[in-house]
Amino acid sequence: MPDSILIAVAWPYANGSIHVGSVAGAYLPADIFARYHRLRGNDVVMISGSDAHGTPVTIAAEQRGVSPEQVSSEYQTEFLDGWDRLGISFDLFTSTHTKNHAETAQDMFLRLMKKGYIYKDSMTQPFCETDDRFLPDRYVEGKCPHCSYEGARGDQCDKCGKTLDPVDLIDIVCRTCRNTPVTRKTEHFFMKFSAFQNQLLEWVRGQDHFKPNVKNFTIAYLEGGLHDRAITRDLAWGVPVPVEGYEDKRIYVWWEAVIGYLSATKEWAAITGQPDRWKDFWQDSCRPYYFMGKDNIPFHTMIWPSMLMGYGGLNLPYDVPANEYLNLQGQKVSTSRNWAVWLPEYLDRYEADPLRYMLAANMPETSDSQFSWKEYVRR
């Protein structure tokens, strides 16, 4: 009997081009893995899509003076072209900006709320008096309270990997006007992640096939305490909150985007004319693998498993083979400083296979690795 293999690959924000660090971190290893299991005769579906609702998309749209939908649509087209030219063999690469995804996310929201895992509460949130609006997590930055990194965002510190709330930041500023925001109270929906701490610890400790960095990071984080977090925000772009009276709020992207793995599998099944086939990968015996960079570990070993446990009847991740970073000529890739090798620019100039080989031979599986043009030519 062939095995059922779900290959779920990280969703890139639809606000900028893919760089080769992301290819080495998530997309190429997932493709190699998918091709291997297809050759073995296993039942494989590899899915992902563009994260259309992330605040990086709205920030890019505001900077360009266009709609978030236009920005996300442009990059969705670019991503699909890049995967085709690089030979990344997705069964479906979709977007979070679909009716199917919204319905799947809202169904999960309502079911978790009905079971008591989502509740209403007030919270203090940064409010920019200059821009006259509440600031979502990525609209603020400051110093990380854990490692003192100066460029931490309101949702996560890229240096130490800790998830954050905006109010945790030291010397917080608004990213658009650089002024210091005030804090105001606003009502939101919270998920009771704390209810899953012990269950998650027991589950993760039993995953002996996890990479040591993934398993150890998750255990250390859980032993420090898993806290409830707000999962809605005062936004106009995103999946609407399916509760009467909250039409002006949206389900926040870090909670909604991971549901894309489920919604994409449902979309793939519908496209292939077998609408119930998604159950083969989510409700029956199947090994789901989640490919991503190490900065996404918390969302796939704690946040998403909590949601799946609460929802019930859906498969937990079998493995989360997160890779380390691919640095560029001795320096960390920086999109803001344009220090990257962008996939579309590479593919406009050179063939795909030399890059695939270079990245496969130098993949950052257990530690950070380096990309240099000198090494590219040598290989």
Side-chain angles (χ1 to χ4, degrees), residues 96-319:
T96 55
H97 194 56
T98 66
K99 181 181 178 183
N100 165 69
H101 176 72
E103 290 174 348
T104 304
Q106 289 172 337
D107 169 67
M108 182 161 284
F109 184 99
L110 291 172
R111 181 158 174 171
L112 289 171
M113 187 168 67
K114 184 177 180 180
K115 296 174 77 170
Y117 295 122
I118 291 178
Y119 61 93
K120 285 183 285 188
D121 200 358
S122 61
M123 63 179 289
T124 56
Q125 192 173 343
F127 185 90
C128 181
E129 295 179 313
T130 304
D131 297 333
D132 192 31
R133 64 178 176 183
F134 284 102
L135 298 175
D137 299 351
R138 291 207 174 208
Y139 276 76
V140 296
E141 64 183 30
K143 185 187 293 185
C144 174
H146 303 286
C147 71
S148 299
Y149 174 61
E150 294 283 354
R153 307 186 308 262
D155 60 344
Q156 186 180 28
C157 174
D158 281 340
K159 186 173 183 181
C160 69
K162 294 280 190 180
T163 53
L164 302 170
D165 284 315
V167 293
D168 297 332
L169 293 173
I170 301 167
D171 299 328
I172 185 173
V173 295
C174 170
R175 284 189 59 177
T176 56
C177 69
R178 309 307 296 179
N179 290 326
T180 301
V182 298
T183 56
R184 292 186 182 178
K185 281 200 171 184
T186 179
E187 188 176 59
H188 281 289
F189 289 87
F190 287 68
M191 179 157 172
K192 197 180 291 183
F193 290 109
S194 56
F196 300 96
Q197 179 171 333
N198 293 336
Q199 191 175 351
L200 284 168
L201 262 174
E202 182 180 356
W203 170 69
V204 172
R205 283 172 175 158
Q207 306 307 306
D208 293 332
H209 52 280
F210 273 20
K211 285 184 175 183
N213 66 322
V214 174
K215 184 173 182 178
N216 295 337
F217 175 90
T218 304
I219 290 174
Y221 198 110
L222 289 170
E223 288 177 341
L226 194 60
H227 305 291
D228 299 352
R229 295 191 68 188
I231 62 169
T232 58
R233 283 294 185 270
D234 298 288
L235 291 167
W237 175 246
V239 176
V241 174
V243 178
E244 188 175 350
Y246 293 87
E247 292 80 7
D248 59 338
K249 298 182 188 292
R250 297 292 181 268
I251 300 175
Y252 205 42
V253 64
W254 60 262
W255 194 87
E256 163 244 310
V258 290
I259 301 171
Y261 300 119
L262 176 60
S263 66
T265 315
K266 290 183 175 182
E267 184 179 346
W268 163 81
I271 290 171
T272 59
Q274 306 168 87
D276 289 333
R277 271 275 279 151
W278 69 271
K279 297 177 182 177
D280 294 346
F281 300 93
W282 287 93
Q283 294 182 343
D284 296 335
S285 178
C286 173
R287 295 202 304 272
Y289 294 81
Y290 290 78
F291 286 81
M292 72 209 63
K294 63 181 177 182
D295 53 326
N296 272 324
I297 291 173
F299 300 97
H300 295 81
T301 61
M302 290 175 278
I303 301 297
W304 182 226
S306 296
M307 296 160 65
L308 293 170
M309 289 174 178
Y311 190 89
L314 298 175
N315 294 330
L316 294 175
Y318 172 76
D319 201 1

Side-chain angles (χ1 to χ4, degrees), residues 20 82 84-87 341 343-359 371 373 376:
V20 298
D84 180 60
R85 290 197 284 166
L86 188 61
V341 176
L343 183 61
E345 293 182 3
Y346 173 91
L347 292 171
D348 287 344
R349 291 169 170 83
Y350 310 115
E351 296 295 323
D353 278 351
L355 180 65
R356 288 180 64 109
Y357 172 71
M358 167 67 176
L359 297 180
F371 180 96
W373 287 111
Y376 170 89

Side-chain angles (χ1 to χ4, degrees), residues 9-10 12 17-32 79 82-83 85-88 90 291-293 323-326 333 341-344 346-347 352 354-360 362-364 369 371:
V9 197
S17 298
I18 301 290
H19 57 72
V20 298
S22 296
V23 174
Y27 304 105
L28 182 60
D31 183 61
I32 294 169
F79 294 161
W83 304 142
R85 290 197 284 166
L86 188 61
I88 305 297
F90 283 111
F291 286 81
M292 72 209 63
N323 274 354
E324 302 293 308
Y325 293 141
L326 179 77
V333 169
V341 176
W342 303 106
L343 183 61
Y346 173 91
L347 292 171
L355 180 65
R356 288 180 64 109
Y357 172 71
M358 167 67 176
L359 297 180
N362 200 30
M363 196 170 284
S369 62
F371 180 96

